Amino acid sequence: MHVGELGIFIKKLYRDKGIGEFMIRQALKYARKEGIKIVELSVFANNGRAIHLYKKLGFKKVGLLKGTLKNKGRYFDEIIMVKNIG
Ligand SMILES: CC(C)(COP(=O)(O)OP(=O)(O)OC[C@H]1O[C@@H](n2cnc3c(N)ncnc32)[C@H](O)[C@@H]1OP(=O)(O)O)[C@@H](O)C(=O)NCCC(=O)NCCS
């Protein structure tokens, strides 16, 4: 396997304290060690915080799916991002 999928969720109280950045950096280190070459993720297009963090850590937007995500009855666009770590 050479592609890994990244997912992350931090409890509200602990957000914006650098924990997400730390956890993703750790996950990327572990993935690299395990031989993963490409890390892929999907994010709500209106999730400014997550997108900012992913870009900061070197993820690039490679796709946009229109209206594929649903939350509380509303539809949102989905951004696909990848980072090459090989
Ligand atoms: C997204 C998430 C993983 C980020 O983790 P975190 O610990 O809160 O993030 P960090 O503190 O490491 O970094 C947050 C960064 O976003 C920035 N930020 C915060 N709100 C922002 C906003 N609305 N728009 C843009 N940037 C924002 C902060 O300034 C910080 O950037 P900086 O370090 O360059 O100043 C976490 O907030 C979370 O679990 N959210 C809910 C679930 C979720 O959205 N998961 C991702 C689904 S793809």
Side-chain angles (χ1 to χ4, degrees), residues 9-17 19 49 72:
F9 185 97
I10 291 169
K11 279 185 138 183
K12 227 173 197 161
L13 190 64
Y14 299 100
R15 291 177 194 164
D16 281 327
K17 297 177 189 299
I19 296 172
R49 184 199 278 122
K72 295 176 185 159

Side-chain angles (χ1 to χ4, degrees), residues 6 28 39 41 54-55 57-61 81-83:
L6 178 75
L28 293 176
V39 179
L41 63 84
Y54 297 145
K55 281 186 180 163
L57 293 173
F59 284 84
K60 304 274 185 237
K61 177 178 165 181
M81 301 181 89
V82 299
K83 179 177 168 76

